[in-house]
């Protein structure tokens, strides 16, 4: 077994992330002190370049800074250059990652244009090859990465571990004076799969600044334990994600619970929220969750967020809820334009409050806030800008007037910093 690199535990302070080795994935830097990168993955058939390019563009416009696609057949590999061409015509410049299992060595060899276009290769050491074929097929993929100057993510997954390694570890564990429990053995198998593969990739000539590691599990506590161990035992850039997180609130809650702990400890350089989308729903929902997780933790800023009260018996009207939804939707719709036109607008803070109890106070803390009247309160909505009450809105057009105030503020406040 190869000797593992040890690094000091990272600080628990979220803003003092220990600088891991930096990896350039196309135009995006992962690790090395760079901001934590948001990524996602398509669920289209890669053999269809039209639908795949369309979904990549949708994810990129939502804020995904890297997009991974499945490359599983010769036709899918052949479609990759056409996907890249379509994206270029659409003005979308996002690095594309190729996700390979079982036959990646063959596809990269047969389709050199695919190998050249992709910004990174993702391989699973448990699915590269089995038995005697594992070494040659793993080496073949690393050779292609070297030939085309590409980084590689070595992504181990506890659902597809090399069973011979698991058996060997179980035998080794049985000989211990104090055997580990089954969960510890499983974690060690996952860690060794990733770390030994990374060591082998370096032995084959791939520099550590072209290696990203991940160890995916689907349990919150298991993920935290695995990545804490991984962070101590290596200094590679790390990709975080709870695999098979699930659908809706369950997937969001589980992913946030696991990743927030690790990010707070300074572990992780790029993240994906692996949500099962509702039938027919946009794939970009997972991008928004990833952004909001990083932004609410104070690690990055992507878009103005709306502070809104939950409502209570003082606020039986749904108007403040509708206004909060309208404001948030307007911000998300405008951000693609604002991001290009106004520097720093992502740091804007907004508040939509429902009654007099906390409304004025929260509104004063935001750049722009509105305190709507609760039950029995005067039918007036004071607006606060940068902590000062500037006007009071009344009548049927409060929503459109408040949106107008927001747009005017953005144009005035950030115009001097426009790029």
């Amino acid at each position: 077994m190869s000797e593992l690199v040890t690094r000091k535990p990272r600080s628990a302070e979220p803003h003092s992330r220990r600088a891991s080795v930096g990896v350039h994935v196309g135009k995006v830097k992962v690790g090395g002190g760079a901001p934590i990168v948001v990524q996602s993955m398509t669920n289209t058939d890669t053999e269809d370049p039209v639908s795949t390019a369309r979904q990549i563009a949708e994810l990129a416009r939502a804020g995904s800074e890297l997009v991974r696609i499945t490359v599983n057949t010769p036709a899918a590999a052949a479609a990759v250059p056409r996907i890249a061409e379509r994206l270029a015509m659409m003005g979308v410049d996002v690095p594309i990652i190729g996700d390979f299992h079982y036959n990646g060595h063959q596809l990269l060899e047969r389709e050199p244009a695919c190998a050249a276009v992709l910004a990174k290769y993702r391989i699973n050491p448990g699915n590269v090859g089995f038995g005697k074929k594992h070494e040659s097929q793993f080496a073949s993929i690393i050779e292609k990465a070297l030939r085309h100057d590409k980084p590689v993510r070595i992504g181990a997954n506890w659902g597809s571990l090399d069973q011979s390694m698991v058996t060997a570890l179980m035998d080794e564990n049985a000989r211990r004076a104090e055997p580990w429990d089954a969960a510890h053995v499983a974690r060690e198998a996952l860690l060794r799969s990733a770390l030994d593969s990374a060591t082998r990739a370096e032995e084959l000539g791939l520099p550590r600044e072209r290696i990203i590691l991940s160890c995916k599990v689907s349990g919150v506590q298991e993920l935290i334990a695995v990545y804490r161990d991984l962070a101590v035992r290596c200094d590679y850039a790390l990709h975080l994600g709870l695999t098979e997180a699930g659908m809706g609130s369950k997937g969001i809650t589980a992913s946030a619970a696991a990743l927030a702990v690790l990010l707070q400890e300074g572990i992780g350089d790029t993240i994906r929220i692996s949500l099962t989308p509702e039938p027919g729903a946009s794939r970009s929902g997972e991008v928004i969750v990833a952004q909001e997780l990083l932004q609410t933790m104070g690690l990055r800023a992507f878009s103005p967020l709306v502070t809104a009260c939950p409502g209570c018996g003082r606020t039986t009207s749904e108007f403040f809820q509708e206004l909060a939804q309208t404001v948030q939707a307007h911000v998300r719709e405008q951000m693609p334009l604002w991001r290009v036109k106004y520097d720093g607008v992502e740091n804007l803070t907004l508040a939509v409050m429902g009654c007099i109890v906390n409304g004025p106070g929260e509104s004063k803390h935001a750049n722009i806030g509105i305190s709507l009247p609760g039950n029995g309160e005067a039918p007036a909505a004071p607006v606060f800008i940068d902590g000062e009450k500037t006007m009071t809105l009344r009548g049927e057009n409060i929503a459109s007037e408040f949106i107008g105030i927001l747009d005017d503020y953005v144009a005035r406040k950030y115009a001097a910093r426009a790029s």
Side-chain angles (χ1 to χ4, degrees):
M1 198 65 63
S2 56
E3 183 178 351
L4 300 176
V5 177
T6 301
R7 65 175 168 189
K8 297 177 182 178
R10 300 184 182 192
S11 165
E13 294 296 325
H15 292 292
S16 58
R17 297 177 62 250
R18 183 198 176 284
S20 63
V21 174
V23 181
H24 289 276
V25 182
K27 63 179 183 178
V28 176
K29 184 180 180 182
V30 177
I36 298 165
V37 173
V38 171
Q39 62 179 277
S40 55
M41 184 175 185
T42 61
N43 61 357
T44 55
D45 184 351
T46 308
E47 293 183 14
D48 179 354
V50 176
S51 63
T52 302
R54 185 184 302 122
Q55 190 174 76
I56 291 172
E58 178 188 7
L59 291 167
R61 287 166 181 158
S64 185
E65 294 158 303
L66 302 173
V67 178
R68 181 158 46 110
I69 63 174
T70 296
V71 186
N72 59 334
T73 66
V80 171
R82 286 182 283 154
I83 292 168
E85 289 172 1
R86 285 184 171 274
L87 290 171
M89 288 189 291
M90 298 164 73
V92 176
D93 180 23
V94 64
I96 306 172
I97 302 162
D99 191 70
F100 296 98
H101 295 271
Y102 307 110
N103 60 351
H105 60 293
Q106 296 173 337
L107 299 178
L108 290 168
E109 179 66 31
R110 294 177 182 177
E111 296 292 340
C114 167
V117 164
L118 292 171
K120 184 178 73 174
Y121 310 152
R122 187 269 182 166
I123 57 176
N124 182 339
N127 291 336
V128 170
F130 305 100
K132 295 180 180 179
K133 293 182 179 180
H134 181 278
E135 169 62 21
S136 64
Q137 293 177 186
F138 180 83
S140 176
I141 295 176
I142 299 303
E143 187 276 328
K144 303 302 182 300
L146 289 168
R147 183 189 305 175
H148 295 282
D149 196 26
K150 306 295 181 181
V152 173
R153 171 156 74 94
I154 297 173
N157 190 304
W158 74 346
S160 52
L161 284 172
D162 182 339
Q163 291 306 302
S164 63
M165 172 182 283
V166 175
T167 300
L169 280 173
M170 290 174 66
D171 291 342
E172 178 184 313
N173 189 52
R175 295 190 294 270
R176 294 178 186 275
E178 296 182 9
W180 296 338
D181 61 28
H184 192 161
V185 175
R187 288 201 305 271
E188 184 63 19
L190 191 65
L191 287 162
R192 289 196 191 180
S193 178
L195 289 165
D196 288 353
S197 296
T199 299
R200 181 59 184 142
E202 286 198 64
E203 291 171 351
L204 292 167
L206 192 66
R208 64 179 41 243
E209 57 269 20
R210 298 241 297 273
I211 298 173
I212 298 174
L213 291 191
S214 65
C215 289
K216 295 289 194 71
V217 300
S218 56
V220 171
Q221 296 300 336
E222 290 85 355
L223 190 82
I224 293 169
V226 165
Y227 272 91
R228 280 174 171 166
D229 284 348
L230 186 60
V232 169
R233 290 166 65 168
C234 76
D235 62 357
Y236 297 108
L238 301 180
H239 168 84
L240 297 187
L242 189 73
T243 191
E244 287 94 38
M247 181 178 286
S249 60
K250 184 269 179 184
I252 294 171
T253 302
S255 293
L259 270 60
V261 170
L262 294 168
L263 292 168
Q264 185 70 16
E265 294 178 3
I267 299 170
D269 302 291
T270 176
I271 68 170
R272 182 196 172 199
I273 305 295
S274 300
L275 298 181
T276 304
E278 299 285 347
S282 170
R283 188 73 162 177
S284 61
E286 66 177 43
V287 179
I288 293 170
V289 173
Q291 290 179 328
E292 291 182 347
L293 173 61
L294 294 175
Q295 187 153 352
T296 54
M297 290 186 69
L299 296 171
R300 286 193 67 182
F302 297 95
S303 176
L305 296 180
V306 179
T307 297
C309 73
C312 66
R314 294 175 177 270
T315 57
T316 54
S317 168
E318 294 183 349
F319 182 70
F320 86 93
Q321 299 166 327
E322 294 168 354
L323 179 58
Q325 186 178 49
T326 297
V327 171
Q328 187 70 77
H330 179 74
V331 167
R332 286 181 180 157
E333 181 182 333
Q334 293 300 311
M335 269 309 292
L337 174 62
W338 285 354
R339 190 178 294 116
V340 173
K341 193 173 181 181
Y342 301 116
D343 180 36
V345 70
E346 65 275 6
N347 296 300
L348 175 68
T349 57
L350 304 166
V352 177
M353 303 302 294
C355 78
I356 200 171
V357 173
N358 293 317
E362 285 284 1
S363 295
K364 289 177 182 178
H365 286 303
N367 292 122
I368 310 175
I370 185 169
S371 180
L372 297 166
N375 300 335
E377 295 177 17
V383 174
F384 297 82
I385 297 179
D386 292 329
E388 300 293 331
K389 180 181 175 182
T390 58
M391 66 193 74
T392 299
L393 302 182
R394 296 181 175 84
E396 301 297 321
N397 299 316
I398 288 178
S400 61
E401 290 176 7
F402 187 70
I403 292 295
I405 292 167
L406 166 59
D407 288 344
D408 180 65
Y409 181 91
V410 169
R412 287 187 295 103
K413 172 109 176 182
Y414 299 100
R417 290 187 278 174
S419 55

